[in-house]
Coordinates of all heavy atoms in Angstrom, one line a residue:
M10 N 0.8 -1.2 0.0 CA 0.0 0.0 0.0 C 0.9 1.3 0.0 O 0.5 2.2 -0.7 CB -0.9 0.0 1.3 CG -1.9 1.1 1.3 SD -3.1 0.9 0.0 CE -4.1 2.3 0.3
K11 N 2.0 1.2 0.7 CA 2.8 2.4 0.8 C 3.4 2.7 -0.6 O 3.7 3.8 -0.9 CB 4.0 2.2 1.8 CG 3.5 2.2 3.3 CD 4.6 2.0 4.2 CE 4.1 2.0 5.7 NZ 5.2 1.9 6.6
R12 N 3.8 1.7 -1.3 CA 4.3 1.8 -2.6 C 3.3 2.5 -3.6 O 3.7 3.4 -4.4 CB 4.7 0.4 -3.3 CG 5.9 -0.2 -2.6 CD 6.2 -1.5 -3.2 NE 7.4 -2.1 -2.5 CZ 7.7 -3.3 -2.7 NH1 7.1 -4.1 -3.6 NH2 8.7 -3.8 -2.0
I13 N 2.1 2.1 -3.5 CA 1.1 2.8 -4.3 C 1.0 4.3 -4.0 O 0.9 5.1 -4.9 CB -0.3 2.1 -4.2 CG1 -0.2 0.7 -4.7 CG2 -1.5 2.9 -4.9 CD1 -1.4 -0.2 -4.5
V14 N 1.0 4.6 -2.7 CA 0.9 5.9 -2.3 C 2.1 6.7 -2.8 O 2.0 7.9 -3.2 CB 0.8 6.1 -0.7 CG1 0.9 7.5 -0.2 CG2 -0.6 5.4 -0.2
F15 N 3.2 6.1 -2.7 CA 4.5 6.8 -3.1 C 4.4 6.9 -4.6 O 4.9 8.0 -5.1 CB 5.7 5.9 -2.8 CG 7.0 6.4 -3.3 CD1 7.6 7.5 -2.7 CD2 7.7 5.9 -4.4 CE1 8.8 8.0 -3.1 CE2 8.8 6.4 -4.9 CZ 9.4 7.5 -4.2
A16 N 3.9 5.9 -5.4 CA 3.8 6.1 -6.8 C 2.8 7.3 -7.2 O 3.2 8.0 -8.1 CB 3.4 4.8 -7.4
L17 N 1.8 7.4 -6.5 CA 0.8 8.4 -6.8 C 1.4 9.8 -6.5 O 1.2 10.8 -7.2 CB -0.5 8.2 -6.0 CG -1.3 7.1 -6.5 CD1 -2.6 6.9 -5.5 CD2 -1.8 7.2 -7.9
A18 N 2.2 9.9 -5.3 CA 2.8 11.1 -5.0 C 3.8 11.5 -6.1 O 4.0 12.6 -6.5 CB 3.5 11.0 -3.7
A19 N 4.6 10.5 -6.6 CA 5.6 10.7 -7.7 C 4.8 11.3 -8.9 O 5.3 12.2 -9.6 CB 6.3 9.5 -8.0
V20 N 3.6 10.7 -9.2 CA 2.9 11.2 -10.4 C 2.5 12.7 -10.2 O 2.6 13.4 -11.2 CB 1.7 10.3 -10.6 CG1 0.7 11.0 -11.6 CG2 2.0 8.9 -11.0
V21 N 2.1 13.0 -9.1 CA 1.7 14.4 -8.8 C 2.9 15.4 -9.0 O 2.8 16.4 -9.6 CB 1.1 14.5 -7.4 CG1 0.9 16.0 -7.0 CG2 -0.2 13.8 -7.3
V22 N 4.0 14.9 -8.5 CA 5.3 15.8 -8.6 C 5.6 15.9 -10.0 O 5.9 17.0 -10.6 CB 6.4 15.2 -7.8 CG1 7.7 15.9 -8.1 CG2 6.1 15.3 -6.3
L23 N 5.6 14.8 -10.8 CA 5.9 14.8 -12.3 C 5.0 15.7 -13.1 O 5.4 16.5 -13.9 CB 6.0 13.4 -12.8 CG 7.1 12.5 -12.3 CD1 6.9 11.1 -12.8 CD2 8.5 13.0 -12.8
L24 N 3.8 15.6 -12.8 CA 2.8 16.3 -13.5 C 2.8 17.8 -13.2 O 2.6 18.6 -14.0 CB 1.3 15.8 -13.2 CG 1.0 14.5 -13.8 CD1 -0.4 14.1 -13.4 CD2 1.0 14.5 -15.3
A25 N 3.2 18.1 -12.0 CA 3.4 19.6 -11.6 C 4.6 20.2 -12.3 O 4.6 21.3 -12.5 CB 3.6 19.5 -10.1
G26 N 5.5 19.3 -12.7 CA 6.7 19.8 -13.3 C 6.6 19.9 -14.8 O 7.6 20.4 -15.5
C27 N 5.5 19.6 -15.4 CA 5.4 19.6 -16.9 C 5.1 21.1 -17.4 O 4.4 21.8 -16.7 CB 4.1 18.8 -17.3 SG 4.3 17.1 -17.0
N28 N 5.7 21.3 -18.6 CA 5.6 22.7 -19.1 C 4.8 22.6 -20.4 O 4.3 23.6 -20.9 CB 6.9 23.3 -19.4 CG 7.6 23.7 -18.1 OD1 6.9 24.0 -17.1 ND2 8.9 23.7 -18.0
T29 N 4.8 21.5 -21.1 CA 4.2 21.3 -22.4 C 3.3 20.0 -22.4 O 3.3 19.2 -21.6 CB 5.2 21.1 -23.5 OG1 5.9 20.0 -23.2 CG2 6.1 22.3 -23.5
V30 N 2.4 20.0 -23.5 CA 1.6 18.8 -23.6 C 2.4 17.5 -23.8 O 2.2 16.5 -23.3 CB 0.6 19.0 -24.8 CG1 -0.2 17.7 -25.1 CG2 -0.3 20.2 -24.5
A31 N 3.5 17.6 -24.6 CA 4.4 16.6 -24.8 C 5.0 16.1 -23.5 O 5.2 14.9 -23.2 CB 5.6 16.9 -25.8
G32 N 5.4 17.1 -22.6 CA 6.0 16.7 -21.3 C 5.0 16.0 -20.5 O 5.3 15.1 -19.8
I33 N 3.7 16.3 -20.5 CA 2.6 15.7 -19.8 C 2.6 14.3 -20.3 O 2.4 13.3 -19.4 CB 1.3 16.4 -19.9 CG1 1.4 17.8 -19.2 CG2 0.2 15.6 -19.3 CD1 0.2 18.6 -19.5
G34 N 2.6 14.1 -21.6 CA 2.5 12.7 -22.1 C 3.6 11.8 -21.7 O 3.4 10.7 -21.3
K35 N 4.8 12.4 -21.7 CA 6.0 11.5 -21.2 C 5.8 11.3 -19.7 O 6.1 10.1 -19.3 CB 7.2 12.3 -21.5 CG 7.6 12.4 -22.9 CD 8.9 13.2 -23.2 CE 9.2 13.4 -24.6 NZ 10.4 14.1 -24.8
D36 N 5.5 12.2 -18.9 CA 5.3 12.0 -17.5 C 4.1 10.9 -17.2 O 4.3 10.1 -16.3 CB 5.0 13.3 -16.7 CG 6.2 14.2 -16.7 OD1 7.3 13.7 -16.9 OD2 6.0 15.4 -16.5
V37 N 3.0 11.0 -17.9 CA 2.0 10.0 -17.7 C 2.5 8.6 -18.1 O 2.2 7.6 -17.4 CB 0.7 10.4 -18.5 CG1 -0.3 9.3 -18.5 CG2 0.1 11.8 -17.9
Q38 N 3.2 8.5 -19.2 CA 3.7 7.3 -19.7 C 4.7 6.6 -18.5 O 4.6 5.5 -18.2 CB 4.5 7.4 -20.9 CG 5.0 6.1 -21.4 CD 5.8 6.2 -22.8 OE1 6.0 7.4 -23.3 NE2 6.1 5.2 -23.4
R39 N 5.6 7.5 -18.0 CA 6.5 7.0 -17.0 C 5.7 6.6 -15.7 O 6.0 5.6 -15.1 CB 7.5 8.1 -16.6 CG 8.5 8.4 -17.7 CD 9.5 9.4 -17.3 NE 10.3 9.8 -18.4 CZ 10.8 11.0 -18.6 NH1 10.6 11.9 -17.7 NH2 11.6 11.2 -19.7
A40 N 4.7 7.4 -15.3 CA 3.9 7.0 -14.2 C 3.2 5.7 -14.4 O 3.2 4.9 -13.5 CB 2.9 8.2 -13.9
G41 N 2.7 5.5 -15.5 CA 2.0 4.2 -15.9 C 2.9 3.1 -15.8 O 2.6 2.0 -15.3
E42 N 4.2 3.3 -16.3 CA 5.2 2.2 -16.2 C 5.5 1.9 -14.8 O 5.7 0.7 -14.4 CB 6.5 2.6 -17.0 CG 6.2 2.6 -18.5 CD 7.4 3.3 -19.2 OE1 8.3 3.7 -18.6 OE2 7.3 3.2 -20.5
A43 N 5.6 2.9 -14.0 CA 5.9 2.7 -12.6 C 4.8 2.0 -11.8 O 5.1 1.0 -11.1 CB 6.1 4.1 -11.8
V44 N 3.6 2.2 -12.2 CA 2.4 1.6 -11.6 C 2.4 0.1 -12.0 O 2.2 -0.8 -11.3 CB 1.1 2.3 -11.9 CG1 -0.1 1.4 -11.5 CG2 1.0 3.6 -11.3
E45 N 2.8 -0.1 -13.3 CA 2.8 -1.5 -13.9 C 3.9 -2.3 -13.1 O 3.7 -3.5 -12.7 CB 3.2 -1.5 -15.3 CG 2.0 -1.1 -16.2 CD 2.3 -1.1 -17.6 OE1 3.4 -1.5 -18.0 OE2 1.5 -0.7 -18.4
D46 N 5.1 -1.6 -12.9 CA 6.1 -2.3 -12.2 C 5.7 -2.7 -10.8 O 6.0 -3.9 -10.3 CB 7.4 -1.4 -12.0 CG 8.0 -1.2 -13.5 OD1 7.7 -2.1 -14.4 OD2 8.8 -0.3 -13.6
V47 N 5.0 -1.9 -10.1 CA 4.6 -2.2 -8.7 C 3.6 -3.3 -8.8 O 3.6 -4.2 -7.9 CB 3.9 -0.9 -8.1 CG1 3.2 -1.3 -6.8 CG2 5.0 0.2 -7.8
A48 N 2.7 -3.3 -9.7 CA 1.6 -4.3 -9.9 C 2.3 -5.7 -10.2 O 1.9 -6.7 -9.7 CB 0.7 -3.9 -10.9
K49 N 3.3 -5.7 -11.0 CA 4.0 -7.0 -11.4 C 4.7 -7.6 -10.2 O 4.9 -8.8 -10.2 CB 4.9 -6.7 -12.6 CG 4.2 -6.5 -13.9 CD 5.2 -6.3 -15.0 CE 4.5 -6.0 -16.3 NZ 5.5 -5.7 -17.4
K50 N 5.2 -6.7 -9.3 CA 6.0 -7.3 -8.1 C 5.1 -8.0 -7.1 O 5.6 -8.7 -6.3 CB 6.7 -6.1 -7.5 CG 7.8 -5.7 -8.3 CD 8.6 -4.5 -7.6 CE 9.7 -4.0 -8.5 NZ 10.5 -2.9 -7.9
K51 N 3.8 -7.7 -7.2 CA 2.9 -8.3 -6.2 C 2.5 -9.8 -6.6 O 2.5 -10.3 -7.4 CB 1.6 -7.5 -6.1 CG 1.8 -6.3 -5.3 CD 0.6 -5.6 -4.9 CE 0.8 -4.5 -4.0 NZ -0.3 -3.9 -3.4

C-alpha cells in the first residue's frame, strides 16, 4: 500500500513539473510504467 501511495505522489510531482503537452504525455507514460512495475511485483 505504501508503494502505491508513493507512486501516486511521484505522479503528482511529475505532472506539476510539466511545461508542455508533450511533457505531460511523457510523465503520464512514466507514471503508468511505474504503476505497472509495482503491480507486477505483487
Side-chain angles (χ1 to χ4, degrees):
M10 185 69 177
K11 289 182 182 180
R12 290 180 183 171
I13 293 171
V14 172
F15 179 75
L17 291 175
V20 168
V21 171
V22 171
L23 290 173
L24 289 176
C27 294
N28 292 329
T29 64
V30 173
I33 292 170
K35 289 179 183 179
D36 288 342
V37 170
Q38 182 178 8
R39 289 182 190 149
E42 290 172 355
V44 171
E45 285 179 7
D46 290 343
V47 170
K49 287 180 182 178
K50 289 181 181 178
K51 286 191 172 187

